[in-house]
C-alpha cells in the first residue's frame, strides 16, 4: 500500500471530525512531523463545502518558501483540473484561482491582500499553525473575517506537529477546537513513521550562565559560546563516528552559523564529507546542496534553524542534535526530520548531545516521560515506552540514594523533604533553584508542585500541578471593598482566573512568564534586579521575626530584600500548614520504619544459612 493511499483514510477521518465539530469554524489538527500533513490537509479542500455557492476558493498560508512550494506541488498533483496560484516574492496570484498558496509575509505586504475577496473563500488552511497567533497571520485572518466570526466566515483549519507555543501565547485567539491529534510515538507504533533508535551523549557542557531569549529558550549567541568549543565539537564528531558512521544521510542541528562552520570543519578533519546550508546561502546554492544530499552523494548535512520545519527529506536516517534546547516543540521538530518512511532505511538513529540538566533543558528521554539524565544506548521506541511504564510502576519505591527525601502515601504525586522547623522550610531555596533555571522571574516554591510569583500586594500568579501531566497557571487580583461573608475564610481576592493549562512545568512557566511580562512591573518580578540585594527593610524584618525565637531573630545585615520577600511569600501562602503536614507524614514514616525494622529482624532470625551460626546479640 502506498503512503498516499494510507494517508487518504486519515484525511477522511479528519474531515468527519471537522463535520462533527461543525459548530466551530476554526479548527486545529495535530499530526506528528513526517506524517504527511501537507498531503492530508490538501485533501480537505474538496471535503469542505460552503453554504454560499459563490464561495468556492481556498487559501493555503505558510511562512517559508519550501512550505509554499511543497503545498503548491501537492495541490497541482491532487487537483489537476483546478487553477493553483502562488503569492510569494515576485510571484503574484490573480486573486481568482481555485487554490492560492501564499507566503504570509508576502500576502500582507503593501496592498497585496486587497485583491482577495473574502466573500469568495470557503476555506483557509494554515501550515505550521503554531505560528498562527503572530501579528502577520492575525492580519490575514482579520481580512477573511476569521478574527471576529460571522455566519459567512470561511472555515479555518490549522495543521501542526506542535500545536502549542513555547512562549505560552494562547492559540485560542485564532483556533477554537482541536479535532484530531496523533503524536509521533503513536504514529511510530502504528507504522505511520519509521522506527527510531535513541542515543544520548553527555557533553558535560555547563549551561548555567547561558542567557535566555524572549521566547524562554537559550539565546543563540550565549549558547554558542559554551557549545561551540573544540572539545565539544571533537566529542560530537567522535560520538557520530562511534555510533552512526554507517548511516547514509545524517542531518545535524547546530546553534548558529559559527557553530555550523566549526563543526563542519571538525568532521572534515576526521575525513568525512560534511557540507552545510545556512540562511545566507544563495537559493540556487542551497537547492544544489540539498538535492545532492537527497541523492545521498554525501553523508552529513549541517544547518542551524533551516530544517526545523517544512523539510521533506525522507532518506534522512540519522539526526545529530548538537544544540541543547529548553523547547519541547523544537526538540520534536528536529527529531521529526528523520521520521519519514523511506524504502532505503529501517530506522532513524537520534543522537542527542545533552548538557547540564540544571538549566531546564529537554532531551530525548523527556519525550517518553523519563529522567532527562537517562543515558540511552541505541534504545528503540518500544524499549523507551517500556522504560517509562517501568518507571511509573516503580514510583512506589523509595529511592535509597535520596539523602533526606521521603516518599509518602501517594508517591506518584508527592515527594517531600524533612525539615526540623518552620524556619528551615522557609529558608530552603532548593525549589527556587529548579524553577529559576527555567525562568528569569522571582518564582517561589510554596508547596510541592506549587509556585507563586507575587508582583505586588494586589496581584499574584500561581503555577500548580493539578493532575498528572497537567500544570495550571492562575491569576489572582485583589478587589477593593469585597464584602466579608465569613470572617475566618475571607480573602481580599477575586476568584482566580485560569490563564493556561500545560502538560509540563516548563511549558506552564513560559505561559505564566509571557503573561507576567505584559502585565506586571518588570523590576518587581525579575530575579536579577539590583534592589533584591539591598538589606531587608524594617517592615520585612518585623514580619519575619514574629515567627522566630529570641536568639534566632534576623538583622538587616544578615538577609537581603529579595530573600526576605521570598520568605514572606512562603509564610503568606501556607508554610506553617505545610510544615505541620510534613511532620505528620514523617512521624508516620518513622513508625512504619520501626515496624519494617522489627519485621526484618524477625525474618533474619528465622533464616537458615550454611556457615557459622552467628552469636546472639544481647
Amino acid at each position: 500500500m502506498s503512503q498516499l493511499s494510507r494517508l487518504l483514510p486519515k484525511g477522511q477521518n479528519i474531515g468527519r471530525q471537522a463535520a462533527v465539530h461543525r459548530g466551530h469554524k476554526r479548527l486545529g489538527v495535530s499530526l506528528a512531523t513526517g506524517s504527511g500533513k501537507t498531503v492530508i490537509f490538501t485533501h480537505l479542500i474538496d471535503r469542505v463545502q460552503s453554504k454560499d455557492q459563490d464561495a468556492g476558493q481556498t487559501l493555503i498560508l505558510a511562512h517559508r518558501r519550501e512550505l509554499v512550494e511543497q503545498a503548491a506541488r501537492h495541490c497541482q498533483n491532487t487537483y489537476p483540473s483546478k487553477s493553483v496560484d502562488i503569492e510569494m516574492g515576485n510571484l503574484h496570484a490573480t486573486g481568482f484561482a481555485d487554490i492560492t498558496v501564499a507566503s504570509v509575509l508576502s500576502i500582507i505586504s503593501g496592498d497585496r491582500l486587497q485583491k482577495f475577496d473574502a466573500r469568495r473563500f470557503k476555506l483557509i488552511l494554515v501550515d505550521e499553525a503554531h505560528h498562527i497567533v503572530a501579528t502577520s497571520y492575525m492580519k490575514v485572518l482579520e481580512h477573511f473575517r476569521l478574527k471576529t466570526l460571522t455566519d459567512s466566515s470561511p472555515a479555518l483549519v490549522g495543521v501542526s506537529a506542535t500545536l502549542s507555543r513555547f512562549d505560552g501565547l494562547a492559540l485560542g485567539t485564532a483556533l477554537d477546537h482541536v479535532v484530531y491529534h496523533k503524536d509521533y510515538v503513536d504514529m511510530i507504533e502504528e507504522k505511520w513513521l519509521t522506527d527510531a533508535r535513541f542515543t544520548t551523549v553527555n557533553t558535560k557542557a555547563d549551561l548555567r550562565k547561558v542567557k535566555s531569549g524572549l521566547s524562554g529558550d537559550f539565546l543563540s549567541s550565549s549558547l554558542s559560546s559554551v557549545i561551540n568549543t573544540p572539545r565539544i565539537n571533537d566529542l560530537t564528531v567522535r560520538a557520530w563516528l562511534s555510533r552512526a558512521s554507517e548511516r547514509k544521510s545524517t542531518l545535524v542541528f547546530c546553534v548558529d552559523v559559527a557553530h555550523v562552520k566549526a563543526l563542519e570543519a571538525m568532521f572534515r578533519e576526521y575525513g568525512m564529507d560534511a557540507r552545510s546550508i545556512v540562511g545566507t546561502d544563495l537559493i540556487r546554492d542551497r537547492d544544489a546542496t540539498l538535492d545532492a544530499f537527497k541523492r545521498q552523494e554525501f553523508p552529513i548535512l549541517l544547518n542551524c534553524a533551516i530544517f526545523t520545519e517544512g523539510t521533506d527529506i525522507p532518506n534522512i536516517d540519522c539526526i545529530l542534535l548538537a544544540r541543547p534546547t529548553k523547547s519541547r516543540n523544537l526538540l520534536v521538530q528536529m527529531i521529526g526530520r528523520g521520521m519519514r518512511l523511506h524504502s532505503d532505511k529501517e530506522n532513524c538513529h537520534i543522537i542527542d548531545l545533552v548538557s547540564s540538566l540544571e538549566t531546564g533543558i529537554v532531551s530525548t528521554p523527556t519525550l517518553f516521560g523519563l529522567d532527562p539524565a537517562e543515558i540511552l544506548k541505541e534504545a528503540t521506541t518500544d524499549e523507551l515506552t517500556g522504560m517509562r511504564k517501568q518507571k511509573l510502576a516503580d514510583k512506589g519505591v523509595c529511592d535509597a540514594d535520596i539523602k533526606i527525601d521521603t516518599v509518602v502515601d501517594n508517591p506518584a504525586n508527592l515527594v517531600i523533604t524533612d525539615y526540623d522547623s518552620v524556619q528551615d522550610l522557609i529558608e530552603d531555596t532548593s525549589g527556587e533553584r529548579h524553577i529559576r533555571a527555567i525562568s528569569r522571574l522571582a518564582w517561589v516554591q510554596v508547596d510541592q508542585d506549587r509556585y507563586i510569583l507575587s508582583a505586588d500586594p494586589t496581584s499574584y500568579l500561581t503555577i500548580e500541578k493539578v493532575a498528572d501531566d497537567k500544570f495550571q497557571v492562575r491569576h489572582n487580583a485583589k478587589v477593593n471593598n469585597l464584602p466579608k461573608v465569613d470572617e475566618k475564610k475571607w480573602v481580599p481576592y477575586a476568584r482566580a482566573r485560569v490563564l493556561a493549562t500545560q502538560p509540563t512545568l516548563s511549558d506552564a512557566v513560559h505561559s505564566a512568564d509571557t503573561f507576567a511580562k505584559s502585565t506586571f512591573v518588570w523590576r518587581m518580578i525579575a530575579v536579577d534586579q539590583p534592589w533584591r540585594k539591598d538589606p531587608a527593610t524594617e517592615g520585612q524584618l518585623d514580619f519575619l521575626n514574629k515567627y522566630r525565637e529570641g536568639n534566632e531573630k534576623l538583622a538587616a545585615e544578615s538577609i537581603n530584600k529579595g530573600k526576605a520577600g521570598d520568605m514572606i511569600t512562603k509564610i503568606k501562602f501556607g508554610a506553617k500548614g505545610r510544615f505541620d503536614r510534613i511532620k505528620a507524614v514523617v512521624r508516620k514514616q518513622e513508625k512504619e520504619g520501626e515496624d519494617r525494622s522489627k519485621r526484618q529482624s524477625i525474618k533474619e532470625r528465622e533464616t537458615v544459612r550454611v556457615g557459622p551460626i552467628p552469636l546472639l546479640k544481647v
Side-chain angles (χ1 to χ4, degrees):
M1 183 184 295
S2 69
Q3 177 73 344
L4 177 58
S5 61
R6 297 182 74 222
L7 288 171
L8 287 178
K10 189 178 292 294
Q12 292 166 355
N13 188 24
I14 295 171
R16 286 194 295 271
Q17 291 291 331
V20 169
H21 298 284
R22 58 186 176 271
H24 300 284
K25 282 197 171 184
R26 308 186 304 177
L27 308 177
V29 175
S30 173
L31 289 168
T33 299
S35 60
K37 296 188 298 296
T38 305
V39 176
I40 291 170
F41 78 61
T42 53
H43 277 81
L44 294 176
I45 292 173
D46 267 357
R47 291 184 169 85
V48 173
Q49 303 298 325
S50 173
K51 295 178 181 179
D52 187 347
Q53 293 182 351
D54 293 330
Q57 293 178 242
T58 296
L59 173 67
I60 300 176
L61 280 177
H63 70 297
R64 294 175 63 164
R65 178 179 66 91
E66 293 86 356
L67 293 170
V68 171
E69 293 175 347
Q70 181 177 298
R73 284 196 304 272
H74 279 295
C75 288
Q76 288 164 347
N77 293 333
T78 306
Y79 303 105
S81 62
K82 294 183 185 293
S83 54
V84 179
D85 280 357
I86 292 179
E87 183 78 21
M88 180 176 63
N90 294 327
L91 299 175
H92 291 260
T94 64
F96 301 103
D98 298 317
I99 303 169
T100 300
V101 188
S103 158
V104 66
L105 292 180
S106 293
I107 200 172
I108 65 169
S109 65
D111 60 354
R112 294 173 76 161
L113 191 56
Q114 303 310 314
K115 65 187 169 191
F116 298 97
D117 185 349
R119 296 169 300 177
R120 301 186 64 84
F121 282 78
K122 65 170 185 174
L123 175 63
I124 310 296
L125 289 167
V126 178
D127 198 3
E128 303 294 354
H130 49 281
H131 296 291
I132 199 169
V133 292
T135 304
S136 53
Y137 283 89
M138 295 305 290
K139 183 175 180 180
V140 178
L141 297 189
E142 184 172 20
H143 175 80
F144 285 95
R145 298 167 298 165
L146 282 164
K147 192 172 181 181
T148 302
L149 292 176
T150 67
D151 291 339
S152 59
S153 297
L156 169 64
V157 178
V159 184
S160 177
T162 51
L163 208 55
S164 61
R165 287 180 60 95
F166 187 63
D167 61 7
L169 292 176
L171 291 173
T173 57
L175 299 174
D176 296 322
H177 202 95
V178 176
V179 296
Y180 195 87
H181 169 68
K182 278 278 188 182
D183 68 25
Y184 80 102
V185 177
D186 294 331
M187 299 194 81
I188 290 172
E189 292 176 350
E190 295 174 13
K191 308 304 180 186
W192 289 99
L193 301 177
T194 189
D195 199 0
R197 298 288 184 272
F198 295 90
T199 296
T200 56
V201 180
N202 191 345
T203 66
K204 293 183 168 59
D206 187 353
L207 304 181
R208 286 175 295 181
K209 294 184 179 180
V210 175
K211 297 177 181 178
S212 296
L214 293 176
S215 70
D217 203 358
F218 297 117
L219 195 64
S220 294
S221 57
S222 182
L223 180 63
S224 183
S225 65
V226 175
I227 297 299
N228 185 19
T229 67
R231 180 188 72 82
I232 293 180
N233 289 341
D234 182 70
L235 185 152
T236 301
V237 173
R238 288 190 290 110
W240 182 88
L241 288 170
S242 171
R243 293 292 178 181
S245 59
E246 80 289 352
R247 296 281 166 164
K248 297 178 180 179
S249 303
T250 296
L251 183 63
V252 185
F253 287 95
C254 301
V255 179
D256 58 9
V257 174
H259 188 210
V260 168
K261 297 303 181 183
L263 192 54
E264 180 183 6
M266 186 67 73
F267 270 108
R268 289 182 174 274
E269 283 185 23
Y270 278 85
M272 304 308 303
D273 186 0
R275 307 180 196 178
S276 63
I277 292 178
V278 296
T280 55
D281 291 341
L282 295 175
I283 291 176
R284 64 172 180 271
D285 294 337
R286 180 194 299 192
D287 290 346
T289 302
L290 187 56
D291 289 342
F293 183 64
K294 289 180 178 179
R295 293 192 297 267
Q296 299 183 336
E297 294 179 8
F298 62 95
I300 303 164
L301 178 62
L302 299 92
N303 84 106
C304 63
I306 297 293
F307 297 123
T308 53
E309 297 174 339
T311 304
D312 188 7
I313 314 175
N315 55 287
I316 294 172
D317 59 358
C318 180
I319 297 290
L320 183 57
L321 302 173
R323 63 142 301 157
T325 180
K326 295 181 183 181
S327 169
R328 184 184 186 277
N329 284 356
L330 178 57
L331 181 64
V332 169
Q333 287 169 337
M334 292 189 293
I335 290 174
R337 296 307 116 199
M339 303 311 295
R340 293 185 186 276
L341 295 172
H342 189 264
S343 59
D344 200 31
K345 70 181 183 186
E346 293 183 8
N347 54 58
C348 182
H349 194 167
I350 313 297
I351 302 177
D352 193 353
L353 279 294
V354 298
S355 307
S356 59
L357 299 168
E358 295 84 2
T359 51
I361 68 166
V362 293
S363 60
T364 46
T366 64
L367 299 180
F368 291 84
L370 300 173
D371 189 317
E374 196 83 50
I375 300 300
L376 309 178
K377 295 183 178 179
E378 299 193 39
T380 67
T381 307
D382 289 342
E383 288 168 346
L384 287 175
T385 303
M387 289 168 67
R388 179 181 183 276
K389 291 178 180 177
Q390 186 62 47
K391 291 286 184 183
L392 291 174
D394 290 347
K395 276 194 173 181
V397 180
C398 184
D399 188 347
D401 294 331
I402 299 177
K403 186 176 179 182
I404 55 173
D405 283 1
T406 302
V407 179
V408 296
D409 289 348
N410 192 353
N413 295 328
L414 182 61
V415 179
I416 64 170
T417 302
D418 189 4
Y419 299 94
D420 291 331
S421 68
V422 177
Q423 284 72 36
D424 289 344
L425 184 151
I426 294 170
E427 292 174 6
D428 181 19
T429 61
S430 58
E432 283 75 68
R433 284 200 300 271
H434 173 56
I435 195 167
R436 290 182 185 179
I438 305 173
S439 170
R440 295 173 60 194
L441 307 188
W443 287 98
V444 176
Q445 184 178 26
V446 298
D447 206 338
Q448 185 69 29
D449 294 321
R450 185 165 177 252
Y451 304 86
I452 296 292
L453 178 65
S454 184
D456 54 52
T458 67
S459 186
Y460 66 91
L461 291 179
T462 303
I463 297 176
E464 186 172 13
K465 187 175 184 179
V466 294
D468 287 343
D469 300 325
K470 186 179 288 188
F471 288 80
Q472 194 174 81
V473 181
R474 301 189 297 271
H475 177 222
N476 286 80
K478 184 176 286 188
V479 178
N480 294 326
N481 302 319
L482 195 68
K484 296 184 179 182
V485 178
D486 186 331
E487 187 73 26
K488 292 183 179 180
K489 297 181 179 180
W490 181 82
V491 290
Y493 293 95
R495 185 185 299 273
R497 179 162 67 101
V498 176
L499 302 178
T501 301
Q502 299 284 14
T504 68
L505 174 61
S506 178
D507 291 339
V509 168
H510 293 306
S511 295
D513 283 7
T514 300
F515 177 86
K517 290 171 187 175
S518 65
T519 306
F520 301 151
V521 177
W522 176 254
R523 70 178 301 272
M524 301 304 297
I525 59 174
V527 76
D528 58 357
Q529 292 296 296
W531 67 264
R532 290 181 60 87
K533 297 178 182 179
D534 293 340
T537 66
E538 185 174 343
Q540 287 179 318
L541 294 173
D542 289 343
F543 184 94
L544 291 172
N545 285 332
K546 288 190 299 185
Y547 298 86
R548 308 180 76 88
E549 300 297 334
N551 60 349
E552 294 180 342
K553 299 287 186 181
L554 295 170
E557 62 270 17
S558 64
I559 186 171
N560 60 36
K561 283 183 180 179
K563 181 66 180 295
D566 294 347
M567 291 168 64
I568 290 170
T569 297
K570 289 187 179 184
I571 292 172
K572 287 184 175 180
F573 289 89
K576 180 64 167 64
R578 183 186 176 200
F579 176 75
D580 292 340
R581 293 197 306 274
I582 289 173
K583 295 305 292 183
V585 171
V586 170
R587 285 194 295 271
K588 180 180 178 182
Q589 161 68 13
E590 291 172 345
K591 178 66 167 58
E592 291 174 347
E594 292 172 359
D595 293 342
R596 282 196 300 271
S597 180
K598 290 178 182 178
R599 291 194 297 270
Q600 184 63 27
S601 177
I602 294 171
K603 182 178 179 180
E604 287 289 326
R605 290 201 304 267
E606 293 176 339
T607 301
V608 179
R609 295 186 179 90
V610 175
I613 299 175
L615 294 174
L616 293 174
K617 294 181 180 180
V618 295

